[in-house]
Amino acid sequence: AHPSTAAVYGQVTADAIIILLVFGWATVLLRLWVRLRLTKSPGWDDATIVLTLFLFTSYSAFILVIIARARELTLATPAAVMQTLLYVQLGEVFYILTTTALKISLGLFFMRVLTKRWQTNIFRTILVVSAVYGSFYVCIVAFQCGSPNKLALGLLGSKKCLPPKLIFSTGLLYGIINVIADWTFVLIPIWILIESDMDRQCKISVSMVMALGAIGSVSSILRMAYLKGLHLRGGIISAVKATLWATAEPGTGIIAASIAILRPLFRNIKSGVRDKLSAHSASK
């Protein structure tokens, strides 16, 4: 195809993974500090975001290995190529697990602040659908060729595996569910924000966090545009672009979900700085 262009996209994806992992781990650790030490109100949404972070780290490790191996693919043996294809499929499995866990975590978080019955019912429906279909899709991908050890055969169109059209269709439906869930998690909080009695400064800060969450929603749409690339039918460029957007979706979601919890920490920092400045001025 276009090896130089694919290499550039591959490097961008690798850089994005490193950045998202650093900010993801930092924000989740700060989130746990706030929930455990400041507000003392840990919940299941915190446990599931930690699970999501570990799954995302595993997914990122597979993608980084794939990028490293792809640079030497021209010199690879058939066995090494098969090993790389196995990593590609495992990356897809961990992507599904990551996004499913993220949806559950976000749903549990918003259900703590929802005030109306219709909002709660919508989020409960999304939680159930995401969990059930996510589990179903993981099984489809992981066992498409029978044993998970034969996952790589699925990318080679083996007749011993499930039909490619079935895999693509289930993946497309999973992407649609993701898009609906992502935009629900963006639009309903806007409704709550408008009705809240927070001051303008707080609303602006919350809106910035929601804008970051919207990036994940856009990423899920763009990933669907290059979905065929994940099955190596749309060309190597489409495959790399799909991977880039698939990485951005859960990465930005983890960061946004964690930053949304950090307001007490920022408030304490602001209060501490103000007190120190006041004490310094008084001493002068």
Short mmCIF file of all heavy atoms in Angstrom, two decimals, residues 130-194:
data_model
loop_
_atom_site.label_atom_id
_atom_site.label_comp_id
_atom_site.label_asym_id
_atom_site.label_seq_id
_atom_site.Cartn_x
_atom_site.Cartn_y
_atom_site.Cartn_z
N SER A 130 -25.13 -2.44 26.91
CA SER A 130 -23.67 -2.42 26.72
C SER A 130 -23.02 -3.65 27.31
O SER A 130 -22.14 -4.26 26.69
CB SER A 130 -23.09 -1.15 27.36
OG SER A 130 -23.56 0.00 26.72
N ALA A 131 -23.44 -4.03 28.52
CA ALA A 131 -22.84 -5.19 29.18
C ALA A 131 -23.17 -6.49 28.45
O ALA A 131 -22.28 -7.32 28.20
CB ALA A 131 -23.31 -5.26 30.63
N VAL A 132 -24.44 -6.66 28.08
CA VAL A 132 -24.87 -7.91 27.44
C VAL A 132 -24.27 -8.04 26.05
O VAL A 132 -23.66 -9.06 25.70
CB VAL A 132 -26.41 -7.99 27.38
CG1 VAL A 132 -26.84 -9.20 26.55
CG2 VAL A 132 -26.99 -8.10 28.78
N TYR A 133 -24.41 -6.99 25.23
CA TYR A 133 -23.91 -7.11 23.86
C TYR A 133 -22.38 -7.09 23.84
O TYR A 133 -21.76 -7.76 22.99
CB TYR A 133 -24.45 -5.99 22.97
CG TYR A 133 -24.17 -6.25 21.51
CD1 TYR A 133 -24.98 -7.11 20.78
CD2 TYR A 133 -23.06 -5.69 20.87
CE1 TYR A 133 -24.72 -7.39 19.45
CE2 TYR A 133 -22.79 -5.98 19.54
CZ TYR A 133 -23.62 -6.82 18.83
OH TYR A 133 -23.34 -7.11 17.52
N GLY A 134 -21.76 -6.34 24.74
CA GLY A 134 -20.31 -6.36 24.81
C GLY A 134 -19.78 -7.74 25.12
O GLY A 134 -18.79 -8.20 24.51
N SER A 135 -20.42 -8.44 26.05
CA SER A 135 -20.02 -9.81 26.38
C SER A 135 -20.22 -10.74 25.19
O SER A 135 -19.37 -11.60 24.89
CB SER A 135 -20.82 -10.32 27.58
OG SER A 135 -20.63 -9.49 28.71
N PHE A 136 -21.35 -10.55 24.50
CA PHE A 136 -21.64 -11.37 23.32
C PHE A 136 -20.58 -11.14 22.22
O PHE A 136 -20.07 -12.09 21.62
CB PHE A 136 -23.03 -11.03 22.79
CG PHE A 136 -23.32 -11.58 21.42
CD1 PHE A 136 -23.59 -12.94 21.24
CD2 PHE A 136 -23.36 -10.75 20.31
CE1 PHE A 136 -23.85 -13.45 19.98
CE2 PHE A 136 -23.63 -11.25 19.05
CZ PHE A 136 -23.87 -12.61 18.87
N TYR A 137 -20.24 -9.87 21.99
CA TYR A 137 -19.29 -9.54 20.92
C TYR A 137 -17.89 -10.05 21.26
O TYR A 137 -17.15 -10.50 20.38
CB TYR A 137 -19.29 -8.03 20.69
CG TYR A 137 -18.47 -7.60 19.50
CD1 TYR A 137 -18.44 -8.34 18.33
CD2 TYR A 137 -17.73 -6.42 19.54
CE1 TYR A 137 -17.69 -7.94 17.24
CE2 TYR A 137 -16.98 -6.01 18.45
CZ TYR A 137 -16.96 -6.77 17.31
OH TYR A 137 -16.21 -6.37 16.23
N VAL A 138 -17.51 -10.00 22.53
CA VAL A 138 -16.21 -10.54 22.94
C VAL A 138 -16.14 -12.03 22.62
O VAL A 138 -15.12 -12.52 22.10
CB VAL A 138 -15.97 -10.30 24.44
CG1 VAL A 138 -14.82 -11.18 24.96
CG2 VAL A 138 -15.62 -8.84 24.70
N CYS A 139 -17.22 -12.74 22.92
CA CYS A 139 -17.24 -14.19 22.63
C CYS A 139 -17.18 -14.45 21.13
O CYS A 139 -16.49 -15.38 20.69
CB CYS A 139 -18.51 -14.81 23.22
SG CYS A 139 -18.57 -14.82 25.02
N ILE A 140 -17.87 -13.63 20.34
CA ILE A 140 -17.84 -13.79 18.89
C ILE A 140 -16.42 -13.64 18.36
O ILE A 140 -15.94 -14.44 17.54
CB ILE A 140 -18.78 -12.77 18.21
CG1 ILE A 140 -20.23 -13.17 18.43
CG2 ILE A 140 -18.49 -12.66 16.71
CD1 ILE A 140 -20.68 -14.39 17.67
N VAL A 141 -15.73 -12.58 18.82
CA VAL A 141 -14.37 -12.31 18.32
C VAL A 141 -13.38 -13.34 18.85
O VAL A 141 -12.54 -13.87 18.11
CB VAL A 141 -13.93 -10.88 18.71
CG1 VAL A 141 -12.48 -10.65 18.32
CG2 VAL A 141 -14.83 -9.86 18.03
N ALA A 142 -13.46 -13.64 20.15
CA ALA A 142 -12.47 -14.53 20.76
C ALA A 142 -12.59 -15.97 20.28
O ALA A 142 -11.58 -16.67 20.14
CB ALA A 142 -12.59 -14.47 22.28
N PHE A 143 -13.82 -16.41 20.01
CA PHE A 143 -14.04 -17.81 19.64
C PHE A 143 -14.52 -17.96 18.20
O PHE A 143 -15.17 -18.95 17.86
CB PHE A 143 -15.04 -18.45 20.60
CG PHE A 143 -14.61 -18.43 22.03
CD1 PHE A 143 -15.14 -17.49 22.90
CD2 PHE A 143 -13.65 -19.31 22.51
CE1 PHE A 143 -14.73 -17.46 24.23
CE2 PHE A 143 -13.24 -19.29 23.83
CZ PHE A 143 -13.78 -18.35 24.70
N GLN A 144 -14.21 -17.00 17.34
CA GLN A 144 -14.67 -17.05 15.96
C GLN A 144 -14.07 -18.22 15.19
O GLN A 144 -14.65 -18.68 14.20
CB GLN A 144 -14.33 -15.74 15.24
CG GLN A 144 -12.85 -15.41 15.19
CD GLN A 144 -12.59 -14.09 14.50
OE1 GLN A 144 -12.77 -13.97 13.30
NE2 GLN A 144 -12.18 -13.09 15.26
N CYS A 145 -12.92 -18.71 15.63
CA CYS A 145 -12.28 -19.85 14.97
C CYS A 145 -12.23 -21.07 15.90
O CYS A 145 -11.39 -21.97 15.72
CB CYS A 145 -10.88 -19.49 14.51
SG CYS A 145 -10.83 -18.13 13.33
N GLY A 146 -13.10 -21.08 16.88
CA GLY A 146 -13.09 -22.17 17.86
C GLY A 146 -12.17 -21.84 19.01
O GLY A 146 -12.55 -21.10 19.91
N SER A 147 -10.97 -22.34 18.99
CA SER A 147 -10.00 -22.06 20.05
C SER A 147 -9.43 -20.66 19.87
O SER A 147 -9.12 -20.24 18.75
CB SER A 147 -8.87 -23.08 20.00
OG SER A 147 -7.83 -22.70 20.90
N PRO A 148 -9.25 -19.89 20.98
CA PRO A 148 -8.63 -18.56 20.88
C PRO A 148 -7.22 -18.61 20.29
O PRO A 148 -6.74 -17.61 19.76
CB PRO A 148 -8.62 -18.08 22.34
CG PRO A 148 -9.72 -18.83 23.00
CD PRO A 148 -9.75 -20.17 22.33
N ASN A 149 -6.54 -19.76 20.38
CA ASN A 149 -5.20 -19.88 19.81
C ASN A 149 -5.21 -19.76 18.28
O ASN A 149 -4.17 -19.50 17.67
CB ASN A 149 -4.57 -21.23 20.20
CG ASN A 149 -4.31 -21.33 21.68
OD1 ASN A 149 -4.08 -20.32 22.34
ND2 ASN A 149 -4.36 -22.53 22.22
N LYS A 150 -6.39 -19.95 17.68
CA LYS A 150 -6.49 -19.89 16.22
C LYS A 150 -7.10 -18.56 15.74
O LYS A 150 -7.57 -18.47 14.61
CB LYS A 150 -7.35 -21.05 15.72
CG LYS A 150 -6.80 -22.42 16.08
CD LYS A 150 -7.72 -23.53 15.61
CE LYS A 150 -7.19 -24.90 16.00
NZ LYS A 150 -8.11 -25.99 15.57
N LEU A 151 -7.05 -17.56 16.60
CA LEU A 151 -7.66 -16.27 16.28
C LEU A 151 -7.13 -15.68 14.97
O LEU A 151 -7.88 -15.08 14.20
CB LEU A 151 -7.39 -15.27 17.41
CG LEU A 151 -8.49 -15.07 18.44
CD1 LEU A 151 -8.05 -14.09 19.50
CD2 LEU A 151 -9.76 -14.58 17.77
N ALA A 152 -5.83 -15.85 14.72
CA ALA A 152 -5.23 -15.24 13.54
C ALA A 152 -5.86 -15.73 12.25
O ALA A 152 -5.86 -15.02 11.24
CB ALA A 152 -3.72 -15.51 13.53
N LEU A 153 -6.40 -16.94 12.26
CA LEU A 153 -7.01 -17.50 11.04
C LEU A 153 -8.21 -16.68 10.60
O LEU A 153 -8.56 -16.67 9.41
CB LEU A 153 -7.42 -18.95 11.28
CG LEU A 153 -6.29 -19.94 11.59
CD1 LEU A 153 -6.87 -21.31 11.88
CD2 LEU A 153 -5.30 -20.01 10.44
N GLY A 154 -8.84 -15.98 11.54
CA GLY A 154 -10.01 -15.19 11.19
C GLY A 154 -9.66 -14.06 10.23
O GLY A 154 -10.47 -13.70 9.36
N LEU A 155 -8.47 -13.47 10.37
CA LEU A 155 -8.04 -12.40 9.47
C LEU A 155 -7.62 -12.94 8.11
O LEU A 155 -7.47 -12.17 7.16
CB LEU A 155 -6.89 -11.61 10.10
CG LEU A 155 -7.26 -10.79 11.35
CD1 LEU A 155 -6.02 -10.15 11.95
CD2 LEU A 155 -8.29 -9.73 11.01
N LEU A 156 -7.39 -14.23 8.01
CA LEU A 156 -6.96 -14.84 6.75
C LEU A 156 -8.13 -15.44 5.98
O LEU A 156 -7.95 -16.06 4.93
CB LEU A 156 -5.91 -15.93 7.02
CG LEU A 156 -4.62 -15.44 7.70
CD1 LEU A 156 -3.71 -16.60 8.00
CD2 LEU A 156 -3.92 -14.40 6.83
N GLY A 157 -9.36 -15.27 6.52
CA GLY A 157 -10.54 -15.76 5.82
C GLY A 157 -10.68 -17.25 5.82
O GLY A 157 -11.23 -17.83 4.87
N SER A 158 -10.19 -17.92 6.86
CA SER A 158 -10.29 -19.37 6.93
C SER A 158 -11.74 -19.82 6.99
O SER A 158 -12.58 -19.21 7.65
CB SER A 158 -9.54 -19.89 8.17
OG SER A 158 -9.73 -21.28 8.33
N LYS A 159 -12.07 -20.90 6.28
CA LYS A 159 -13.42 -21.44 6.27
C LYS A 159 -13.77 -22.13 7.59
O LYS A 159 -14.94 -22.48 7.81
CB LYS A 159 -13.59 -22.42 5.11
CG LYS A 159 -13.49 -21.75 3.73
CD LYS A 159 -13.73 -22.75 2.62
CE LYS A 159 -13.66 -22.07 1.25
NZ LYS A 159 -13.88 -23.03 0.13
N LYS A 160 -12.75 -22.34 8.43
CA LYS A 160 -13.00 -22.96 9.73
C LYS A 160 -13.49 -21.92 10.75
O LYS A 160 -13.81 -22.28 11.87
CB LYS A 160 -11.72 -23.61 10.24
CG LYS A 160 -11.22 -24.76 9.36
CD LYS A 160 -9.96 -25.37 9.93
CE LYS A 160 -9.46 -26.52 9.05
NZ LYS A 160 -8.21 -27.11 9.58
N CYS A 161 -13.51 -20.65 10.35
CA CYS A 161 -13.94 -19.57 11.25
C CYS A 161 -15.32 -19.08 10.85
O CYS A 161 -15.86 -19.45 9.80
CB CYS A 161 -12.93 -18.42 11.20
SG CYS A 161 -11.23 -18.91 11.59
N LEU A 162 -15.89 -18.23 11.68
CA LEU A 162 -17.18 -17.62 11.36
C LEU A 162 -17.05 -16.76 10.11
O LEU A 162 -15.98 -16.21 9.83
CB LEU A 162 -17.66 -16.77 12.54
CG LEU A 162 -18.03 -17.52 13.82
CD1 LEU A 162 -18.39 -16.53 14.93
CD2 LEU A 162 -19.20 -18.48 13.57
N PRO A 163 -18.12 -16.61 9.34
CA PRO A 163 -18.06 -15.80 8.11
C PRO A 163 -17.63 -14.36 8.40
O PRO A 163 -18.10 -13.76 9.39
CB PRO A 163 -19.50 -15.85 7.59
CG PRO A 163 -20.09 -17.07 8.19
CD PRO A 163 -19.44 -17.22 9.54
N PRO A 164 -16.76 -13.79 7.58
CA PRO A 164 -16.31 -12.40 7.79
C PRO A 164 -17.46 -11.40 7.85
O PRO A 164 -17.40 -10.43 8.60
CB PRO A 164 -15.40 -12.14 6.58
CG PRO A 164 -14.92 -13.49 6.16
CD PRO A 164 -16.07 -14.42 6.44
N LYS A 165 -18.52 -11.64 7.05
CA LYS A 165 -19.65 -10.72 7.05
C LYS A 165 -20.35 -10.71 8.41
O LYS A 165 -20.83 -9.66 8.86
CB LYS A 165 -20.65 -11.11 5.95
CG LYS A 165 -20.15 -10.81 4.55
CD LYS A 165 -21.24 -11.10 3.52
CE LYS A 165 -20.75 -10.76 2.11
NZ LYS A 165 -21.80 -11.04 1.09
N LEU A 166 -20.39 -11.87 9.07
CA LEU A 166 -21.00 -11.94 10.40
C LEU A 166 -20.16 -11.15 11.40
O LEU A 166 -20.70 -10.38 12.22
CB LEU A 166 -21.13 -13.40 10.84
CG LEU A 166 -21.64 -13.61 12.28
CD1 LEU A 166 -23.04 -13.04 12.43
CD2 LEU A 166 -21.62 -15.09 12.63
N ILE A 167 -18.85 -11.33 11.34
CA ILE A 167 -17.95 -10.60 12.24
C ILE A 167 -18.09 -9.10 12.01
O ILE A 167 -18.17 -8.30 12.97
CB ILE A 167 -16.49 -11.03 12.02
CG1 ILE A 167 -16.34 -12.54 12.22
CG2 ILE A 167 -15.56 -10.28 12.97
CD1 ILE A 167 -16.65 -13.01 13.60
N PHE A 168 -18.12 -8.69 10.73
CA PHE A 168 -18.23 -7.27 10.41
C PHE A 168 -19.57 -6.70 10.88
O PHE A 168 -19.63 -5.59 11.43
CB PHE A 168 -18.07 -7.06 8.90
CG PHE A 168 -18.21 -5.63 8.47
CD1 PHE A 168 -17.17 -4.74 8.65
CD2 PHE A 168 -19.38 -5.18 7.88
CE1 PHE A 168 -17.29 -3.42 8.26
CE2 PHE A 168 -19.51 -3.86 7.48
CZ PHE A 168 -18.47 -2.98 7.67
N SER A 169 -20.63 -7.46 10.70
CA SER A 169 -21.96 -6.99 11.09
C SER A 169 -22.07 -6.82 12.60
O SER A 169 -22.62 -5.82 13.09
CB SER A 169 -23.03 -7.97 10.60
OG SER A 169 -23.01 -8.07 9.19
N THR A 170 -21.56 -7.80 13.34
CA THR A 170 -21.61 -7.69 14.81
C THR A 170 -20.74 -6.53 15.29
O THR A 170 -21.09 -5.83 16.24
CB THR A 170 -21.15 -8.99 15.46
OG1 THR A 170 -19.86 -9.38 14.94
CG2 THR A 170 -22.13 -10.12 15.22
N GLY A 171 -19.61 -6.31 14.61
CA GLY A 171 -18.75 -5.18 14.96
C GLY A 171 -19.40 -3.85 14.65
O GLY A 171 -19.28 -2.88 15.42
N LEU A 172 -20.13 -3.79 13.53
CA LEU A 172 -20.84 -2.57 13.17
C LEU A 172 -21.93 -2.25 14.18
O LEU A 172 -22.09 -1.09 14.60
CB LEU A 172 -21.44 -2.72 11.77
CG LEU A 172 -22.15 -1.50 11.19
CD1 LEU A 172 -21.17 -0.34 11.03
CD2 LEU A 172 -22.79 -1.84 9.85
N LEU A 173 -22.67 -3.29 14.60
CA LEU A 173 -23.72 -3.08 15.60
C LEU A 173 -23.12 -2.63 16.93
O LEU A 173 -23.68 -1.76 17.61
CB LEU A 173 -24.52 -4.37 15.78
CG LEU A 173 -25.68 -4.31 16.78
CD1 LEU A 173 -26.64 -3.19 16.42
CD2 LEU A 173 -26.40 -5.65 16.84
N TYR A 174 -21.96 -3.21 17.30
CA TYR A 174 -21.30 -2.79 18.53
C TYR A 174 -20.89 -1.32 18.44
O TYR A 174 -21.02 -0.57 19.41
CB TYR A 174 -20.07 -3.66 18.79
CG TYR A 174 -19.37 -3.33 20.08
CD1 TYR A 174 -19.90 -3.72 21.31
CD2 TYR A 174 -18.16 -2.64 20.09
CE1 TYR A 174 -19.26 -3.42 22.50
CE2 TYR A 174 -17.51 -2.33 21.27
CZ TYR A 174 -18.07 -2.72 22.48
OH TYR A 174 -17.43 -2.41 23.66
N GLY A 175 -20.40 -0.91 17.26
CA GLY A 175 -20.03 0.49 17.08
C GLY A 175 -21.24 1.41 17.20
O GLY A 175 -21.14 2.50 17.79
N ILE A 176 -22.38 0.99 16.65
CA ILE A 176 -23.59 1.81 16.74
C ILE A 176 -24.03 1.96 18.20
O ILE A 176 -24.40 3.06 18.65
CB ILE A 176 -24.71 1.17 15.90
CG1 ILE A 176 -24.37 1.26 14.41
CG2 ILE A 176 -26.06 1.86 16.18
CD1 ILE A 176 -25.32 0.50 13.51
N ILE A 177 -23.98 0.85 18.95
CA ILE A 177 -24.33 0.92 20.38
C ILE A 177 -23.38 1.86 21.11
O ILE A 177 -23.80 2.66 21.97
CB ILE A 177 -24.29 -0.49 21.00
CG1 ILE A 177 -25.42 -1.35 20.43
CG2 ILE A 177 -24.40 -0.42 22.52
CD1 ILE A 177 -25.36 -2.81 20.85
N ASN A 178 -22.10 1.80 20.78
CA ASN A 178 -21.11 2.69 21.39
C ASN A 178 -21.43 4.15 21.11
O ASN A 178 -21.35 5.01 22.00
CB ASN A 178 -19.71 2.36 20.88
CG ASN A 178 -18.99 1.39 21.79
OD1 ASN A 178 -19.51 0.98 22.83
ND2 ASN A 178 -17.80 0.99 21.40
N VAL A 179 -21.75 4.46 19.85
CA VAL A 179 -22.05 5.84 19.47
C VAL A 179 -23.28 6.35 20.23
O VAL A 179 -23.27 7.47 20.77
CB VAL A 179 -22.28 5.94 17.95
CG1 VAL A 179 -22.82 7.31 17.58
CG2 VAL A 179 -20.98 5.68 17.20
N ILE A 180 -24.34 5.52 20.28
CA ILE A 180 -25.56 5.93 20.99
C ILE A 180 -25.25 6.16 22.48
O ILE A 180 -25.69 7.17 23.07
CB ILE A 180 -26.65 4.86 20.84
CG1 ILE A 180 -27.10 4.79 19.37
CG2 ILE A 180 -27.84 5.17 21.74
CD1 ILE A 180 -28.08 3.65 19.08
N ALA A 181 -24.49 5.25 23.07
CA ALA A 181 -24.15 5.39 24.49
C ALA A 181 -23.30 6.63 24.73
O ALA A 181 -23.54 7.40 25.68
CB ALA A 181 -23.42 4.14 24.98
N ASP A 182 -22.30 6.84 23.87
CA ASP A 182 -21.40 7.99 24.05
C ASP A 182 -22.15 9.31 23.98
O ASP A 182 -21.95 10.20 24.82
CB ASP A 182 -20.30 7.96 22.98
CG ASP A 182 -19.26 6.88 23.24
OD1 ASP A 182 -19.13 6.48 24.41
OD2 ASP A 182 -18.58 6.45 22.29
N TRP A 183 -23.02 9.45 22.99
CA TRP A 183 -23.74 10.72 22.85
C TRP A 183 -24.80 10.89 23.92
O TRP A 183 -25.13 12.02 24.30
CB TRP A 183 -24.33 10.83 21.45
CG TRP A 183 -23.27 11.20 20.45
CD1 TRP A 183 -22.68 10.39 19.53
CD2 TRP A 183 -22.63 12.47 20.32
NE1 TRP A 183 -21.72 11.07 18.83
CE2 TRP A 183 -21.67 12.35 19.28
CE3 TRP A 183 -22.78 13.70 20.97
CZ2 TRP A 183 -20.86 13.42 18.89
CZ3 TRP A 183 -21.98 14.76 20.57
CH2 TRP A 183 -21.04 14.62 19.55
N THR A 184 -25.33 9.79 24.43
CA THR A 184 -26.25 9.90 25.57
C THR A 184 -25.52 10.42 26.79
O THR A 184 -26.03 11.28 27.53
CB THR A 184 -26.89 8.53 25.88
OG1 THR A 184 -27.57 8.05 24.73
CG2 THR A 184 -27.86 8.63 27.04
N PHE A 185 -24.28 9.91 27.00
CA PHE A 185 -23.48 10.35 28.14
C PHE A 185 -23.03 11.80 28.00
O PHE A 185 -22.61 12.41 28.99
CB PHE A 185 -22.25 9.45 28.29
CG PHE A 185 -22.58 8.05 28.72
CD1 PHE A 185 -21.74 6.99 28.41
CD2 PHE A 185 -23.73 7.77 29.42
CE1 PHE A 185 -22.03 5.69 28.80
CE2 PHE A 185 -24.05 6.47 29.81
CZ PHE A 185 -23.20 5.44 29.50
N VAL A 186 -23.10 12.35 26.79
CA VAL A 186 -22.73 13.75 26.58
C VAL A 186 -23.96 14.65 26.68
O VAL A 186 -23.93 15.71 27.33
CB VAL A 186 -22.04 13.95 25.22
CG1 VAL A 186 -21.88 15.44 24.91
CG2 VAL A 186 -20.68 13.27 25.21
N LEU A 187 -25.07 14.24 26.05
CA LEU A 187 -26.22 15.13 25.92
C LEU A 187 -27.06 15.24 27.20
O LEU A 187 -27.48 16.33 27.58
CB LEU A 187 -27.11 14.65 24.76
CG LEU A 187 -26.45 14.72 23.37
CD1 LEU A 187 -27.39 14.16 22.31
CD2 LEU A 187 -26.05 16.14 23.03
N ILE A 188 -27.29 14.11 27.88
CA ILE A 188 -28.10 14.17 29.10
C ILE A 188 -27.41 14.98 30.20
O ILE A 188 -28.07 15.79 30.88
CB ILE A 188 -28.47 12.75 29.58
CG1 ILE A 188 -29.51 12.15 28.62
CG2 ILE A 188 -29.03 12.78 31.01
CD1 ILE A 188 -30.05 10.80 29.05
N PRO A 189 -26.09 14.83 30.43
CA PRO A 189 -25.44 15.71 31.41
C PRO A 189 -25.56 17.20 31.06
O PRO A 189 -25.57 18.03 31.97
CB PRO A 189 -23.98 15.24 31.37
CG PRO A 189 -24.07 13.81 30.99
CD PRO A 189 -25.20 13.74 30.00
N ILE A 190 -25.63 17.53 29.76
CA ILE A 190 -25.84 18.93 29.38
C ILE A 190 -27.19 19.41 29.93
O ILE A 190 -27.31 20.53 30.45
CB ILE A 190 -25.78 19.10 27.85
CG1 ILE A 190 -24.36 18.86 27.34
CG2 ILE A 190 -26.28 20.48 27.43
CD1 ILE A 190 -24.21 18.93 25.84
N TRP A 191 -28.20 18.55 29.81
CA TRP A 191 -29.54 18.86 30.35
C TRP A 191 -29.45 19.10 31.86
O TRP A 191 -30.03 20.06 32.39
CB TRP A 191 -30.48 17.71 30.03
CG TRP A 191 -31.91 17.91 30.45
CD1 TRP A 191 -32.41 17.87 31.71
CD2 TRP A 191 -33.02 18.19 29.60
NE1 TRP A 191 -33.75 18.09 31.71
CE2 TRP A 191 -34.16 18.30 30.42
CE3 TRP A 191 -33.17 18.35 28.22
CZ2 TRP A 191 -35.43 18.56 29.92
CZ3 TRP A 191 -34.43 18.60 27.72
CH2 TRP A 191 -35.54 18.71 28.56
N ILE A 192 -28.72 18.22 32.55
CA ILE A 192 -28.57 18.36 34.00
C ILE A 192 -27.82 19.64 34.34
O ILE A 192 -28.17 20.36 35.29
CB ILE A 192 -27.83 17.14 34.57
CG1 ILE A 192 -28.63 15.86 34.31
CG2 ILE A 192 -27.59 17.30 36.07
CD1 ILE A 192 -27.90 14.59 34.69
N LEU A 193 -26.80 19.95 33.54
CA LEU A 193 -25.98 21.14 33.79
C LEU A 193 -26.80 22.41 33.65
O LEU A 193 -26.67 23.35 34.44
CB LEU A 193 -24.80 21.16 32.82
CG LEU A 193 -23.73 22.25 33.04
CD1 LEU A 193 -23.06 22.06 34.38
CD2 LEU A 193 -22.71 22.21 31.91
N ILE A 194 -27.66 22.47 32.63
CA ILE A 194 -28.48 23.65 32.41
C ILE A 194 -29.44 23.88 33.57
O ILE A 194 -29.68 25.02 34.01
CB ILE A 194 -29.27 23.51 31.09
CG1 ILE A 194 -28.30 23.52 29.89
CG2 ILE A 194 -30.31 24.62 30.94
CD1 ILE A 194 -28.96 23.25 28.56
#
